[in-house]
Every structure is written in structure tokens, then in C-alpha cells.
Amino acid sequence: MCVYINFALRILQSNHERLPKHAATQLADDALMQGRTIIFALVLALTAALSTTGGVAQKKVGSARAGDISVSEAWIRGVLPVARVASGYLTVTNRGSVPDTLIGVRAPFAQLGQIHTMSVTDGVMIMSALDGGITIGPGETVTLSPGGLHLMFMDLTEAPPVGSTQPVVLEFARAGDLRVDMPVSKIGAISVD
């Protein structure tokens, strides 16, 4: 846009000698006003485009969507470089009319990914894999958080660096594979912040 305005002003300046002074000034003022109007319209259009998605899901770190399934607030708890396991957390929402099941997880930094539950029985913490996965009913939201359901990354090939973002693939029975870029929090964190 600035290129066009500069071009118009250069033309006006080159014709300045041929036009009466007031005509050249009026033309320059008109061109400047037109340029400002065009810039204002472009700013409004850009603002409107950025403030709405037009039905298309915006991609941001820790969020993703596939069909009726959306994932938000996804993150990985940071671990020491020598760690063999890491855990991940997220919120899954099913906006559809049929249930879907989170059946698996995989990540390039782990040889094995599982969905785990954690409970305390007689003062003993028990963590175990959920063989059937987690079913998310129509209109339901399920949160995987510290102390409960979570993703377990095992046999790490490398510890995900704190502050990095890691690609994780969630496997759903109906929605299929859904890639989520998950930020890695501080070591021992209880939330993504």
C-alpha cells in the first residue's frame, strides 16, 4: 500500500511544475486522503479477519482439533535429563453426537506411550495403563491432570527439554490421529504455567 501512495506522490511531484500551485497541492491532499482511507479500510479488514476464525479452528500450542474432537491445555511435565518416563496432561472435548475413545498416544521422544490412571488404595499410589482407553461421550469433556488420568511416555529416547514444544499424536477410535504440539513445563510442575 505504501508503495502505491509513494508512487502517486512521485507522479504528483513530477507534474508539480506543470500544474498551478493550488492544483498540485489539492491533488496531493486528495491522494493522501485516499491513501489514508484505503489504509484504514485495510486495517479494519485485517482486524476483522484476525478476530474471527470463519469456522476454521485456529492452531495454537497445546490445542488441536479433528472432526468433533478438540484438545486444549495440553502440556508435558518437565523431567531431569536422565529420566526414563514423562507424563502429559490435557483436556479433550467431544462436540459430536457419538462417543469417541482416546485409545493411544505416541511421541518421537518415547519408545512407548500409554494412557494411565492413578489412584491411592490403602495409602499406596497405584498407577496402571487403561487398556480400553478413555471414552469421551457426546458433549462431554474429560481432563487428564496430575494425580488422575494422564498420558505416560516411557522408555524415553531423550528427555523433552524444558521450554520446548513436542509433537504428540493422540489416537482416537473415530477421529483418527490428532497431532498436538505440547509445551514442556518446568520440572515437577503441577500445571503448564
Side-chain angles (χ1 to χ4, degrees):
M1 182 54 60
C2 290
V3 172
Y4 294 118
I5 292 170
N6 286 335
F7 179 71
L9 289 175
R10 273 191 268 143
I11 290 173
L12 287 172
Q13 287 170 348
S14 68
N15 290 330
H16 182 271
E17 302 301 323
R18 289 182 241 155
L19 296 172
K21 185 168 181 145
H22 69 279
T25 303
Q26 183 61 44
L27 281 173
D29 287 347
D30 289 347
L32 186 58
M33 185 55 88
Q34 248 184 343
R36 285 182 180 159
T37 302
I38 291 170
I39 290 171
F40 181 72
L42 286 173
V43 167
L44 282 178
L46 183 58
T47 301
L50 292 176
S51 66
T52 62
T53 62
V56 177
Q58 291 181 339
K59 177 92 169 154
K60 72 176 198 176
V61 174
S63 298
R65 185 172 183 171
D68 294 326
I69 297 294
S70 63
V71 172
S72 61
E73 303 170 8
W75 61 285
I76 298 167
R77 180 182 286 158
V79 295
L80 294 171
V82 295
R84 301 294 303 149
V85 298
S87 53
Y89 310 97
L90 49 85
T91 298
V92 182
T93 301
N94 181 351
R95 290 176 169 49
S97 57
V98 294
D100 202 344
T101 304
L102 175 60
I103 56 175
V105 58
R106 61 184 190 274
F109 58 86
Q111 292 181 29
L112 178 63
Q114 293 181 339
I115 303 159
H116 276 206
T117 185
M118 189 166 71
S119 61
V120 178
T121 305
D122 296 327
V124 178
M125 183 182 70
I126 300 170
M127 193 171 9
S128 58
L130 289 175
D131 293 328
I134 301 170
T135 299
I136 305 99
E140 210 173 73
T141 296
V142 175
T143 299
L144 284 66
S145 59
L149 296 170
H150 59 278
L151 304 176
M152 198 73 201
F153 305 105
M154 299 182 293
D155 298 327
L156 301 182
T157 55
E158 63 178 322
V162 170
S164 69
T165 300
Q166 298 295 317
V168 173
V169 177
L170 303 173
E171 303 164 8
F172 288 91
R174 293 182 54 81
D177 288 356
L178 176 58
R179 177 186 161 154
V180 183
D181 294 325
M182 298 176 68
V184 180
S185 72
K186 296 177 184 175
I187 295 171
I190 58 170
S191 70
V192 70
D193 297 326

